[in-house]
Structures are given as C-alpha cells and as structure tokens.
C-alpha cells in the first residue's frame, strides 16, 4: 500500500464489544496501534459497530474522501 501510494483506511469493527470504554479509549487504542504499525500514523482509522450501526457513515465518508483525493492529478 505504502510503496504504491494507495489510499488506506483501517476500520475497527466491534467497538461496541469493548468493555468499560472511557472518553479517551479510542485515542489510547489508536495510539497503541500506531506504535505497533508505523504505516497507520498517516492513515485514517475509524472505530465502528456494524451491529449497532455506530459510525458506519463515518467509514463511508472517509472512504469517499480518500477516493476523491486519489483521483486528483498533480
């Protein structure tokens, strides 16, 4: 992905199943993921719950935005 310069978004499903979430839970999780996989530092990540229909619209918005950016010629 990185070598070819392709857009990428990481969708983290089952966010509803994370126990005892707090205000900063997503930020903390995201930082841990970025520390383990450096490619994620410059890529969008979206937490969602397909079951609860939570932030699925955000995933589609992000994918659409990335697609439109990838189609622009410099």
């Amino acid at each position: 992905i990185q070598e070819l310069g392709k857009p990428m978004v990481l969708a983290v499903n089952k966010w509803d199943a994370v126990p005892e979430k707090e205000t900063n839970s997503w930020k903390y999780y995201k930082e841990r993921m970025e520390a383990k996989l450096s490619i994620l530092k410059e890529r969008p990540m979206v937490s969602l719950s397909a079951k609860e229909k939570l932030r699925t619209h955000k995933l589609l918005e992000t994918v659409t935005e990335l697609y439109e950016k990838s189609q622009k010629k410099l």
Side-chain angles (χ1 to χ4, degrees), residues 10 12 15 24-38 40-41 43 45:
L10 179 65
V12 180
W15 193 247
N24 293 327
S25 294
W26 174 243
K27 181 182 175 191
Y28 176 71
Y29 181 81
K30 211 173 145 180
E31 288 171 355
R32 286 186 19 217
M33 291 290 292
E34 290 172 347
K36 291 181 180 188
L37 298 167
S38 61
L40 298 177
K41 289 182 182 175
R43 305 295 194 276
M45 285 190 266

Side-chain angles (χ1 to χ4, degrees), residues 44-58:
M45 285 190 266
V46 178
S47 66
L48 61 99
S49 169
K51 178 182 175 184
E52 302 289 329
K53 295 182 176 77
L54 179 67
R55 285 189 288 283
T56 53
H57 67 282
K58 180 66 176 166

